[in-house]
Amino acid sequence: MSHNSFGHLFRVTTWGESHGPAIGCVIDGCPPGIALSEADIQPYLDKRRPGQSSFTTQRQEPDQVRIMSGVFEGMTTGTPIGLMVDNVDQRSKDYSNIARSFRPGHADLTYHLKYGIRDYRGGGRSSARETAMRVAAGAVARKVLGSEVVIRGAMVQMGAHRIEPSRWDWRAVDENAFFCPDAQTAVAWEQELLQIRKDGSSIGAVCEIVAEHVPAGLGAPIYGKLDADLAAAMMSINAVKGVEIGDGFAAAMLRGEDNADEMRLDADGGIEFLSNHAGGILGGISSGQPVVVRFAVKPTSSILIARRSVDEAGAETEVSTKGRHDPCVGIRAVPVGEAMMACVLADHLLRDRAQNGQRAR
Amino acid sequence: MSHNSFGHLFRVTTWGESHGPAIGCVIDGCPPGIALSEADIQPYLDKRRPGQSSFTTQRQEPDQVRIMSGVFEGMTTGTPIGLMVDNVDQRSKDYSNIARSFRPGHADLTYHLKYGIRDYRGGGRSSARETAMRVAAGAVARKVLGSEVVIRGAMVQMGAHRIEPSRWDWRAVDENAFFCPDAQTAVAWEQELLQIRKDGSSIGAVCEIVAEHVPAGLGAPIYGKLDADLAAAMMSINAVKGVEIGDGFAAAMLRGEDNADEMRLDADGGIEFLSNHAGGILGGISSGQPVVVRFAVKPTSSILIARRSVDEAGAETEVSTKGRHDPCVGIRAVPVGEAMMACVLADHLLRDRAQNGQRAR
Amino acid sequence: MSHNSFGHLFRVTTWGESHGPAIGCVIDGCPPGIALSEADIQPYLDKRRPGQSSFTTQRQEPDQVRIMSGVFEGMTTGTPIGLMVDNVDQRSKDYSNIARSFRPGHADLTYHLKYGIRDYRGGGRSSARETAMRVAAGAVARKVLGSEVVIRGAMVQMGAHRIEPSRWDWRAVDENAFFCPDAQTAVAWEQELLQIRKDGSSIGAVCEIVAEHVPAGLGAPIYGKLDADLAAAMMSINAVKGVEIGDGFAAAMLRGEDNADEMRLDADGGIEFLSNHAGGILGGISSGQPVVVRFAVKPTSSILIARRSVDEAGAETEVSTKGRHDPCVGIRAVPVGEAMMACVLADHLLRDRAQNGQRAR
Amino acid sequence: MSHNSFGHLFRVTTWGESHGPAIGCVIDGCPPGIALSEADIQPYLDKRRPGQSSFTTQRQEPDQVRIMSGVFEGMTTGTPIGLMVDNVDQRSKDYSNIARSFRPGHADLTYHLKYGIRDYRGGGRSSARETAMRVAAGAVARKVLGSEVVIRGAMVQMGAHRIEPSRWDWRAVDENAFFCPDAQTAVAWEQELLQIRKDGSSIGAVCEIVAEHVPAGLGAPIYGKLDADLAAAMMSINAVKGVEIGDGFAAAMLRGEDNADEMRLDADGGIEFLSNHAGGILGGISSGQPVVVRFAVKPTSSILIARRSVDEAGAETEVSTKGRHDPCVGIRAVPVGEAMMACVLADHLLRDRAQNGQRAR
């Protein structure tokens, strides 16, 4: 079962709410003998951390991670790795407008319908704050994968404006507040998002995550498919409504001969692909090509603009969400998507070892 | 672990290859006391069955299902339900062209890279033949859900031609060979697909599955999200490259106030939604609105048109796939998608009972 | 979840009832490239097969196993292995005495209380017939473990009569109808069991399973302990009421210095243990010593001697079970216990590879 | 997978080492709407807490539990419950005698063989300190079960001295340092254990856990048997080497007519059992009778008396363990066994609801 756990052999279980004392996770199954310290994890948390620009929530959280177990003298021991981050900036704001009403398009309603009780403060368990622990776990997953596997992400679309592939430059990604791979587009987005924020509104986005040098053979044929696990992983991120592998929905428009990724031999006699429509996955198993995943993020439902709704008492009402919210949650979804990619690949790396490997003694 | 199992509490495990003696599945966790016979399952298999039109593979399989266990005097007993379908039309054709070469874009390559061995006859385990057991399991899942939950699917796009929402008519779906919800479009598709088949090519498609009257509260907040499980389910279908819930990728283009599904009270005091951008799922949990999933199917890689490839011996070659193949695998993906929807919902129905239910004695 | 599945990475799912058309299992996770044919499995089924002496049920079942999937040209392919055995001798006897009454001490009652419905013919799913598939799966597990790991079992106690350790001779095990490691004791048991059978009664037993040359390092520290999994495995065999590892309950009577398995170095510098009170497992992980498990089997509750009971209608009654039953089910539990040992070890071998291994390319 | 998780629907994952900053657990799947506070958990931790008599380790740990998540305004919310206990008394002692040598009979050796690295301080992850989180989880499980289900445990044997059933008195259990159900025996044990401690030795024990008023129908027929899960649960407790249900090994000595628990009707027309040889479980499913489990605890291997061993460098040595250890770890295993019983029953209660229940709306 997987209410709050993710992965099978590299297994991450998260806990915590937006306004509790802390959030944390347990990583079970991490191999022993891997050098690991807080310094390996903190940079990824810093990348996801809110309050770094005017385009994300202004909540101030240092997000300092602590390793609580599973590491001895700087090395993983094979036992569960407990990670924890304190919640610091739980502003004691007035939640009266959402404590008993449901934001249209928000989990407020469905948590209430399912459980009959919810911690409404900051969204409780449905808050994107939980993703901090995904990012922390992703940092450990990267260590399991090794430095050869390179996982990078970018925001490639905001609203209707999509990056031209020809303008894509990975170096630009870390130089703007949007993880945008085109400096020029980033400037345009900045203007647009400032206006959206001023309007008290929000906007959707598309993110793309690419993993290079992924070993061939990760995945499984039927229900443990690498792409199926990636789809679940990305769809489990807050506000995500669609996932594509490789060409994704564009593949529906292709004919067989155009979609086929033809193969030749490279200079070393290895397989060289002439295209990557498949996004690095065939039959649920990695081919050795870059694994390419895109996901769509809806606009956050916490907006200042009033929307018609109902409340717990069964009366009609209007909801306008004040508080600190991301005008474009797609931005901070980039490091989260990278982390999910890392976790899925690490899980499948261990799964492949189980079925195809041998004991390294 | 889930190499070949799907679901947690309504758990389906499939086995079998395209050219083995039979294929089968085990359904574990089905509640007792449900009336079930082969007649409940066979119609769905008939719908997926190949050879019914010139637009699917010409392999002739009666696909007669047998219940091997778990049913006594016409009722489920709570013990595992074994289902089996014999493989009848395993034509002893010449596989020399794909036995040692890899069809570009096909699992041939990655099975070889992962396992070093594969049953190449008819695609072996990677054949869409496995989906017959998904459809059989889906029929049982529908019994668990009860007749009030209505699950229907349609092919809504073939190549570049998408159905206009205004022309959608569920009654048309069963009256053409494409599960197309528009009789007029079906005629156009027919012409197009005949030409594609004549060209020795194939074409991609998009399917949509809708589940109505799904109880609110199915799903779980973080990693057991209903939409995450649906994404994995659909992505695990052969040739699927993208999955959307509700507005999906179109949601990326919306502003928050446009994406919010506003709520009013209906005449009975129940919640009435004014739109369904969310596709019936908020925060990973069903809201009571129709659950709407779309998925993209790539064109099959088994085409007559020759493509450049390599072989097991490490030499360059060209591959042209003769044999009996679907020119548009999206067609037969419709009943498979319906079945996966049914299985995911049944699984979450039981999961919700575990956490929120009580013993019915 | 594990209603009918066993193991995680070497995962066995069984299906079938005593009087259905067949019983079967699916083995998921078996590594590829292992030579496997029906001939590898059949000898173990023959060993468990009923009707071979007057001390087991007289039901005549050839128990011919068929491999339905997962093997190609004599080698495992990494895909699920479907196994099946037809039920042949489902005698159409009169079940009126147990169809609506509950045998005291039998699962009749609890199946009824749980499910409200049960296939009473031959015990349905609660029949020891299900163990045939465990034995078949165990044969595959032995192939995964390799021929160096030797797994053997014996019945070491029948009623109050326990084998003297000094008289233990493995060679005797296959030369009597009891899997008794002492020829002389076997003769005494024969007399005793003939009388018990004549009395219409049954008798309990204790079986011991020993696995030699098990690699050190199998298991996991806390909840995936090798001994915990062995305990569950053995306790899941029909009629088992107790499980011991190594000295088991006798360890409760020891002082620390007597229970400690002291260590010296052998001629090759390897660790030599001076005793094996621990039964080869320390902290849930194999030490390299023989793994020793014993389990207690209660007398079967299907006896001719009338016992007071109740029926489904809620009336008092007496139950006397005619039909074909084992007077000492402990006998046939020996090959089942061996199979469970093999399955648990194979599962943990793969689990250890996942965490501590590397890809063998 | 279950390296460090336990249960399926009431799922407990623990983390932490003896000498890390804290230990903790995550409980996933707990139903919403249950009143829960630290005060519900603390009494059980206090019962297990070391240093309360001269018969347990002298480590001083307040074991104050903190609820980190999953509870809002005093009620569970259905989201994961994070619990944590700080490690306070990690005495900076000299570990040189066990840092590189292996205590005979201890997990020191096998952790080293499996992982090549271990946190040797206080036994690291293999320390019985982990059981504090089991006890905490067990307290939550009791809330899920409701107050009608009564779970109690006792130490019924120390060394060779077993309590006479006729002298059993539950009231005595809380009035001596041994959880001994006979005040007179407790006095004798006290003298004996003082001497054993003076000798620098340790002694084994047997504990019994009884759960009364368990609903009938908990468990599953084949691999999810209630007794199999209890066996795994108890065997996973540190130092346990054997588990019995009901009569356990004594059942091996019985004839069928003596082992059968006959049934009559009670005054209300309900089923009345005339005996409980089965320990409340038939065919893996609870019958409504008291569930009775016994387990054997070996003497701790951390003793002052020197034993022959080897070290990491591959040299022969002698090990004598100073430090603070339990002369009879069986004592503190009683509350741990109770907690495992509670967790297994809660898990199966939810599992039964999934298959046999209905949504409580």
Side-chain angles (χ1 to χ4, degrees):
Chain A
M1 285 287 297
S2 52
H3 290 106
N4 293 285
S5 294
F6 178 72
H8 291 274
L9 299 187
F10 184 86
R11 188 163 182 84
V12 179
T13 301
T14 70
W15 55 267
E17 277 90 31
S18 174
H19 281 53
I23 56 175
C25 75
V26 187
I27 301 170
D28 195 8
C30 183
I34 295 175
L36 183 72
S37 73
E38 276 96 351
D40 292 308
I41 303 170
Q42 196 60 49
Y44 297 99
L45 283 169
D46 291 345
K47 190 172 170 185
R48 191 211 73 101
R49 196 154 56 81
Q52 302 188 96
S53 79
S54 51
F55 306 113
T56 57
T57 169
Q58 295 306 299
R59 178 169 172 170
Q60 294 298 331
E61 286 289 352
D63 280 355
Q64 288 293 325
V65 69
R66 275 183 293 160
I67 298 176
M68 304 298 286
S69 66
V71 175
F72 182 59
E73 297 179 346
M75 303 286 271
T76 61
T77 60
T79 61
I81 299 171
L83 301 177
M84 197 160 72
V85 165
D86 287 328
N87 287 331
V88 171
D89 184 19
Q90 311 117 301
R91 193 177 294 186
S92 65
K93 53 168 292 204
D94 177 11
Y95 286 105
S96 57
N97 65 326
I98 60 161
R100 301 288 163 227
S101 299
F102 309 117
R103 282 165 282 185
H106 194 277
D108 287 343
L109 172 71
T110 50
Y111 273 55
H112 175 73
L113 292 173
K114 185 175 188 74
Y115 297 122
I117 179 175
R118 67 195 158 100
D119 180 350
Y120 50 76
R121 300 168 304 159
R125 183 70 179 153
S126 73
S127 166
R129 181 129 191 79
E130 185 267 348
T131 62
M133 298 325 299
R134 303 184 184 215
V135 169
V140 180
R142 287 177 193 256
K143 301 283 286 190
V144 172
L145 291 167
S147 57
E148 206 189 323
V149 177
V150 176
I151 298 171
R152 295 185 290 191
M155 195 165 98
V156 298
Q157 182 179 334
M158 192 183 81
H161 307 292
R162 191 155 201 164
I163 302 288
E164 293 289 319
S166 63
R167 296 195 55 81
W168 186 294
D169 179 359
W170 277 115
R171 288 166 303 183
V173 163
D174 294 327
E175 293 168 359
N176 61 74
F178 299 92
F179 303 115
C180 176
D182 174 24
Q184 195 173 305
T185 299
V187 173
W189 285 358
E190 193 165 325
Q191 296 309 311
E192 187 176 346
L193 197 53
L194 283 172
Q195 184 60 47
I196 287 167
R197 205 168 63 118
K198 198 180 289 178
D199 296 344
S201 182
S202 62
I203 189 76
V206 174
C207 304
E208 180 168 323
I209 315 291
V210 179
E212 293 168 282
H213 309 300
V214 174
L218 304 195
I222 304 296
Y223 298 111
K225 285 180 166 171
L226 182 58
D227 38 5
D229 280 2
L230 284 169
M234 300 308 170
M235 197 66 94
S236 78
I237 300 172
N238 310 47
V240 171
K241 300 302 286 185
V243 182
E244 297 182 316
I245 308 290
D247 278 8
F249 278 86
M253 292 186 271
L254 295 180
R255 286 168 62 113
E257 64 272 25
D258 299 322
N259 185 64
D261 295 315
E262 294 184 292
M263 290 170 270
R264 297 282 84 181
L265 296 179
D266 63 19
D268 303 325
I271 296 173
E272 183 186 12
F273 292 90
L274 308 184
S275 58
N276 189 14
H277 296 285
I281 303 176
L282 295 170
I285 300 170
S286 64
S287 66
Q289 285 203 285
V291 174
V292 181
V293 181
R294 259 181 318 284
F295 55 87
V297 186
K298 70 176 184 185
T300 179
S301 47
S302 300
I303 52 175
L304 201 56
I305 297 171
R307 296 281 90 187
R308 287 174 290 178
S309 185
V310 298
D311 63 21
E312 288 189 13
E316 297 190 339
T317 183
E318 289 216 327
V319 174
S320 163
T321 316
K322 296 173 190 81
R324 304 165 296 179
H325 296 288
D326 291 276
C328 177
V329 279
I331 299 173
R332 291 205 291 141
V334 171
V336 180
E338 292 175 356
M340 296 311 282
M341 172 73 88
C343 288
V344 170
L345 292 176
D347 188 38
H348 276 282
L349 185 77
L350 302 189
R351 291 169 70 165
D352 187 57
R353 278 184 196 164
Q355 206 175 6
N356 283 307
Q358 56 196 20
R359 185 57 145 94
R361 286 180 206 271
Chain B
M1 285 289 296
S2 53
H3 290 107
N4 293 284
S5 294
F6 179 71
H8 292 273
L9 299 187
F10 184 86
R11 187 164 183 84
V12 179
T13 301
T14 71
W15 55 266
E17 277 89 30
S18 174
H19 281 53
I23 55 175
C25 74
V26 187
I27 301 170
D28 195 8
C30 184
I34 296 175
L36 183 71
S37 73
E38 276 97 350
D40 292 309
I41 303 171
Q42 196 60 48
Y44 297 99
L45 283 170
D46 291 345
K47 189 171 171 187
R48 192 211 72 102
R49 196 155 55 82
Q52 302 189 98
S53 79
S54 51
F55 306 113
T56 57
T57 169
Q58 294 307 298
R59 179 169 171 168
Q60 294 297 331
E61 287 288 351
D63 280 355
Q64 287 294 324
V65 69
R66 276 183 293 161
I67 297 176
M68 304 298 286
S69 67
V71 175
F72 183 60
E73 297 179 345
M75 302 286 270
T76 60
T77 60
T79 62
I81 300 172
L83 301 177
M84 197 161 72
V85 165
D86 287 328
N87 287 331
V88 171
D89 184 17
Q90 312 116 301
R91 192 176 294 185
S92 65
K93 55 166 290 204
D94 178 11
Y95 287 104
S96 56
N97 66 326
I98 59 161
R100 303 286 163 227
S101 298
F102 309 117
R103 282 166 281 185
H106 195 275
D108 287 342
L109 172 71
T110 49
Y111 273 54
H112 174 75
L113 292 173
K114 186 175 187 74
Y115 296 123
I117 180 175
R118 67 196 159 99
D119 181 351
Y120 50 77
R121 301 167 304 159
R125 182 71 178 151
S126 73
S127 167
R129 182 131 191 77
E130 186 266 349
T131 61
M133 299 324 300
R134 302 185 184 214
V135 168
V140 180
R142 286 176 193 258
K143 300 284 285 191
V144 172
L145 291 167
S147 57
E148 205 190 322
V149 177
V150 176
I151 298 171
R152 296 185 290 192
M155 195 164 97
V156 298
Q157 182 180 334
M158 193 183 79
H161 307 292
R162 191 155 201 163
I163 303 289
E164 293 289 319
S166 64
R167 296 195 56 82
W168 187 295
D169 179 358
W170 276 115
R171 290 166 301 181
V173 163
D174 294 326
E175 293 167 0
N176 61 73
F178 299 92
F179 303 115
C180 176
D182 173 24
Q184 194 172 308
T185 299
V187 174
W189 285 359
E190 192 165 327
Q191 297 309 310
E192 188 177 346
L193 196 54
L194 282 172
Q195 185 59 47
I196 287 167
R197 204 169 65 119
K198 196 180 290 178
D199 296 344
S201 183
S202 62
I203 190 74
V206 175
C207 303
E208 180 168 323
I209 314 292
V210 179
E212 292 168 282
H213 309 299
V214 173
L218 304 194
I222 304 294
Y223 298 111
K225 285 181 166 169
L226 182 58
D227 39 5
D229 280 2
L230 284 169
M234 301 308 171
M235 195 67 94
S236 78
I237 301 173
N238 310 48
V240 171
K241 300 302 286 184
V243 183
E244 295 182 319
I245 308 290
D247 279 7
F249 279 87
M253 291 186 272
L254 295 179
R255 285 167 63 113
E257 64 273 25
D258 300 321
N259 184 65
D261 295 316
E262 293 184 293
M263 291 171 271
R264 297 282 85 181
L265 297 178
D266 63 18
D268 302 326
I271 296 173
E272 183 186 12
F273 292 89
L274 307 185
S275 57
N276 188 15
H277 296 286
I281 303 175
L282 294 170
I285 300 170
S286 64
S287 66
Q289 284 203 284
V291 174
V292 181
V293 180
R294 260 181 318 284
F295 55 86
V297 186
K298 70 175 183 184
T300 179
S301 47
S302 300
I303 53 174
L304 201 57
I305 297 171
R307 296 281 92 187
R308 287 174 288 179
S309 185
V310 297
D311 63 21
E312 288 189 12
E316 298 191 339
T317 183
E318 290 215 328
V319 174
S320 163
T321 315
K322 297 172 189 80
R324 306 164 296 180
H325 295 287
D326 291 276
C328 178
V329 281
I331 299 172
R332 293 205 290 141
V334 170
V336 180
E338 291 174 358
M340 295 311 282
M341 172 74 88
C343 288
V344 170
L345 292 177
D347 188 39
H348 277 282
L349 185 78
L350 302 188
R351 291 169 70 165
D352 187 57
R353 278 184 197 164
Q355 205 175 6
N356 282 309
Q358 56 196 21
R359 186 59 145 93
R361 289 180 204 269
Chain C
M1 284 289 296
S2 53
H3 291 106
N4 293 284
S5 295
F6 179 72
H8 292 273
L9 299 186
F10 184 86
R11 187 164 181 83
V12 180
T13 301
T14 71
W15 55 267
E17 277 90 28
S18 175
H19 281 53
I23 55 175
C25 75
V26 186
I27 301 169
D28 195 7
C30 184
I34 296 176
L36 184 71
S37 73
E38 277 96 350
D40 292 308
I41 303 170
Q42 196 60 48
Y44 296 99
L45 283 169
D46 291 346
K47 190 172 170 184
R48 192 211 73 102
R49 194 155 56 82
Q52 301 189 97
S53 79
S54 50
F55 306 113
T56 57
T57 168
Q58 294 306 299
R59 178 168 172 170
Q60 294 298 329
E61 286 288 353
D63 280 355
Q64 288 293 325
V65 69
R66 276 184 292 160
I67 297 175
M68 304 298 285
S69 67
V71 175
F72 183 59
E73 297 180 344
M75 302 286 271
T76 60
T77 60
T79 62
I81 300 171
L83 301 177
M84 198 161 72
V85 165
D86 286 329
N87 287 331
V88 171
D89 184 18
Q90 311 118 300
R91 193 176 293 185
S92 64
K93 53 165 292 203
D94 177 12
Y95 286 105
S96 56
N97 65 326
I98 59 160
R100 302 289 163 225
S101 298
F102 309 117
R103 282 166 282 185
H106 195 276
D108 287 342
L109 172 70
T110 49
Y111 274 56
H112 175 74
L113 292 173
K114 184 174 188 76
Y115 297 122
I117 180 175
R118 67 195 159 100
D119 180 350
Y120 50 76
R121 300 167 305 160
R125 183 69 178 153
S126 73
S127 167
R129 181 131 192 80
E130 185 266 350
T131 61
M133 297 325 298
R134 303 184 183 214
V135 169
V140 180
R142 286 176 193 258
K143 300 284 284 192
V144 172
L145 290 168
S147 57
E148 205 189 322
V149 177
V150 176
I151 298 171
R152 296 186 291 193
M155 194 164 98
V156 298
Q157 182 180 334
M158 191 183 82
H161 307 293
R162 191 155 201 162
I163 303 288
E164 292 289 320
S166 63
R167 297 195 55 83
W168 187 293
D169 179 359
W170 277 114
R171 289 166 302 182
V173 164
D174 294 327
E175 292 168 1
N176 62 74
F178 299 92
F179 303 115
C180 176
D182 173 24
Q184 194 173 308
T185 299
V187 173
W189 286 358
E190 192 166 327
Q191 296 310 310
E192 188 175 346
L193 197 54
L194 283 172
Q195 185 59 48
I196 287 168
R197 204 169 65 119
K198 195 180 290 177
D199 296 345
S201 183
S202 62
I203 189 75
V206 175
C207 302
E208 180 168 324
I209 314 291
V210 179
E212 293 168 282
H213 309 300
V214 173
L218 304 193
I222 303 296
Y223 299 111
K225 284 181 167 170
L226 182 58
D227 39 4
D229 280 4
L230 284 169
M234 300 307 169
M235 196 67 95
S236 79
I237 300 173
N238 310 49
V240 171
K241 300 301 285 184
V243 182
E244 295 182 318
I245 308 289
D247 279 7
F249 278 86
M253 291 186 272
L254 295 180
R255 287 166 61 114
E257 64 273 25
D258 299 322
N259 185 64
D261 296 315
E262 293 184 292
M263 291 171 270
R264 296 282 86 181
L265 297 178
D266 63 18
D268 303 325
I271 295 173
E272 183 186 10
F273 292 90
L274 306 185
S275 57
N276 189 14
H277 296 285
I281 303 174
L282 294 170
I285 300 171
S286 63
S287 66
Q289 284 203 285
V291 174
V292 181
V293 180
R294 260 182 317 284
F295 56 86
V297 186
K298 70 175 184 184
T300 179
S301 47
S302 301
I303 52 174
L304 201 57
I305 298 171
R307 296 280 92 186
R308 287 174 288 177
S309 185
V310 299
D311 63 21
E312 288 190 11
E316 298 191 340
T317 183
E318 289 216 329
V319 174
S320 163
T321 316
K322 295 170 190 85
R324 303 165 295 181
H325 296 288
D326 290 277
C328 178
V329 281
I331 299 172
R332 292 205 290 142
V334 170
V336 180
E338 291 174 359
M340 296 311 282
M341 172 73 89
C343 288
V344 170
L345 292 177
D347 188 39
H348 277 281
L349 186 77
L350 302 188
R351 291 169 71 166
D352 187 56
R353 278 185 196 163
Q355 205 175 7
N356 283 309
Q358 56 196 20
R359 185 59 144 93
R361 288 179 204 270
Chain D
M1 285 289 296
S2 53
H3 290 106
N4 292 285
S5 293
F6 179 73
H8 292 274
L9 299 186
F10 184 86
R11 189 164 182 82
V12 180
T13 301
T14 70
W15 56 266
E17 277 90 30
S18 174
H19 281 54
I23 56 176
C25 75
V26 186
I27 301 169
D28 195 7
C30 183
I34 296 176
L36 183 71
S37 73
E38 277 96 350
D40 292 307
I41 303 171
Q42 197 61 48
Y44 296 99
L45 282 169
D46 291 346
K47 190 172 171 186
R48 191 211 72 103
R49 195 155 56 82
Q52 301 188 97
S53 79
S54 50
F55 306 114
T56 56
T57 169
Q58 294 307 300
R59 178 169 172 169
Q60 294 297 330
E61 287 287 353
D63 280 356
Q64 288 293 325
V65 69
R66 276 183 294 161
I67 297 176
M68 304 297 287
S69 67
V71 175
F72 182 60
E73 297 179 346
M75 303 285 270
T76 61
T77 61
T79 62
I81 300 171
L83 301 177
M84 197 160 72
V85 165
D86 287 327
N87 287 330
V88 170
D89 185 18
Q90 311 118 300
R91 192 177 295 184
S92 64
K93 53 167 291 207
D94 177 12
Y95 286 105
S96 56
N97 65 325
I98 59 161
R100 302 290 163 223
S101 299
F102 309 118
R103 280 166 282 184
H106 195 277
D108 287 341
L109 173 70
T110 50
Y111 274 55
H112 175 74
L113 292 172
K114 185 174 187 76
Y115 296 122
I117 180 175
R118 66 195 159 99
D119 180 349
Y120 50 77
R121 300 168 305 161
R125 182 70 177 153
S126 73
S127 167
R129 181 129 192 80
E130 185 267 348
T131 61
M133 298 324 299
R134 303 184 183 216
V135 169
V140 180
R142 286 176 194 257
K143 300 284 285 191
V144 172
L145 291 167
S147 57
E148 205 189 322
V149 177
V150 176
I151 298 171
R152 295 185 290 192
M155 194 164 97
V156 298
Q157 183 181 332
M158 192 183 80
H161 308 292
R162 191 155 200 161
I163 302 289
E164 292 290 318
S166 63
R167 298 195 54 83
W168 187 294
D169 180 358
W170 278 115
R171 290 166 301 182
V173 163
D174 294 327
E175 292 168 0
N176 62 74
F178 299 91
F179 303 115
C180 176
D182 173 24
Q184 194 173 309
T185 299
V187 173
W189 285 358
E190 192 166 325
Q191 296 310 311
E192 188 176 347
L193 196 54
L194 283 173
Q195 185 59 48
I196 286 168
R197 204 169 63 120
K198 196 180 292 179
D199 296 345
S201 184
S202 62
I203 189 77
V206 175
C207 304
E208 180 168 324
I209 314 292
V210 179
E212 292 169 282
H213 309 300
V214 173
L218 304 195
I222 304 295
Y223 298 111
K225 285 181 166 170
L226 182 58
D227 39 5
D229 280 3
L230 284 169
M234 300 307 169
M235 196 67 94
S236 79
I237 301 172
N238 311 48
V240 171
K241 301 302 286 184
V243 182
E244 296 182 317
I245 308 290
D247 280 7
F249 278 87
M253 291 186 271
L254 295 179
R255 286 168 63 114
E257 65 273 25
D258 299 321
N259 185 65
D261 295 315
E262 294 184 291
M263 290 171 271
R264 296 284 86 180
L265 297 179
D266 62 18
D268 302 326
I271 296 173
E272 182 186 13
F273 293 90
L274 308 184
S275 57
N276 189 14
H277 296 286
I281 304 175
L282 294 170
I285 300 170
S286 64
S287 66
Q289 284 203 285
V291 174
V292 181
V293 180
R294 260 182 317 284
F295 56 86
V297 186
K298 70 175 184 185
T300 180
S301 47
S302 301
I303 52 174
L304 201 57
I305 297 171
R307 295 281 91 187
R308 287 174 287 178
S309 185
V310 298
D311 62 23
E312 288 190 11
E316 299 191 338
T317 183
E318 290 216 328
V319 174
S320 165
T321 316
K322 296 171 191 79
R324 305 164 296 180
H325 296 287
D326 290 277
C328 178
V329 281
I331 299 172
R332 293 205 290 143
V334 169
V336 180
E338 291 175 358
M340 296 311 283
M341 172 74 88
C343 288
V344 170
L345 292 176
D347 188 39
H348 277 281
L349 185 78
L350 301 188
R351 292 170 69 167
D352 187 56
R353 279 185 195 163
Q355 205 175 8
N356 283 308
Q358 57 196 20
R359 185 58 144 92
R361 288 178 205 270

